Amino acid sequence: QVPDTTAPSTSIATPANGATVSGTASVTASASDDVAVTSVEFYLDGALVATDNAAPYAWSWNTTTAANGTHALLSKAYDAAGNSASSSTVTVTVSNSAADTTAPIISNVASRKTSTTAFEITWTTNEPSTSVVVLNGTTYTDTALVTSHRRAFTGKRNTAYTYTVRSADAAGNIAQAGPFTHQN
């Protein structure tokens, strides 16, 4: 039997050289061999980051773990005889917006009687948010992602209620206002 001395070939199929990527990018490689490809490794800036043992050869890259700017991708294919070959380097630019770390601003918090036993609490936020009102220790959730909030309550006459308002934006940043008192 003639030994296999022919190295496989491989190339990065996606993303294209010069592409801009963000979020989760699919990195794929093509690979072929005169006998069979046994695995393809993926390298980011010279470091091994993933290995795929079956076609289609792919790696799901969370680009938010890399700094914004240019990065080098390359694939390396292996066959059963231990022969290997590397692809040409593909240069891509990572461009992710900065993470939102700013909590919403809660303002215009107010309470008012709507009848002898009912009242409502209203507030606004500077960005769409979901909110909760904690009224005398009980949590009431408002799941709408909005900027203008209103929550109705039924209570007892001549009773004081203590409440706080918490709002969370889509990035999970939380703001709190209060405690406030409503006299029903």
Side-chain angles (χ1 to χ4, degrees):
Q1 178 176 349
V2 178
D4 178 5
T5 59
T6 304
S9 63
T10 184
S11 63
I12 296 289
T14 60
N17 192 46
T20 298
V21 295
S22 63
T24 300
S26 178
V27 180
T28 62
S30 60
S32 62
D33 186 63
D34 63 332
V35 178
V37 173
T38 57
S39 67
V40 171
E41 295 174 338
F42 291 91
Y43 289 82
L44 172 63
D45 299 326
L48 175 64
V49 291
T51 302
D52 197 342
N53 296 320
Y57 304 104
W59 163 52
S60 186
W61 176 24
N62 178 359
T63 67
T64 63
T65 62
N68 284 340
T70 57
H71 293 276
L73 296 171
L74 112 94
S75 60
K76 188 172 183 180
Y78 293 87
D79 65 16
N83 299 310
S84 66
S86 296
S87 70
S88 298
T89 299
V90 168
T91 302
V92 297
T93 301
V94 170
S95 180
N96 287 303
S97 58
D100 177 5
T101 58
T102 305
I105 297 170
I106 300 169
S107 57
N108 303 316
V109 179
S111 63
R112 69 180 185 90
K113 290 175 83 168
T114 54
S115 73
T116 36
T117 58
F119 63 98
E120 70 179 8
I121 299 171
T122 58
W123 65 98
T124 58
T125 54
N126 65 325
E127 62 179 307
S129 63
T130 59
S131 293
V132 298
V133 174
V134 180
L135 179 70
N136 286 1
T138 301
T139 302
Y140 300 89
T141 303
D142 175 11
T143 58
L145 195 62
V146 295
T147 57
S148 182
H149 301 269
R150 177 182 313 269
R151 182 71 191 208
F153 297 94
T154 301
K156 296 178 182 174
R157 291 177 60 183
N158 302 319
T159 303
Y161 294 90
T162 302
Y163 65 94
T164 58
V165 174
R166 287 195 308 261
S167 291
D169 63 15
N173 301 304
I174 298 172
Q176 180 169 313
F180 303 99
T181 302
H182 169 77
Q183 182 65 44
N184 207 27

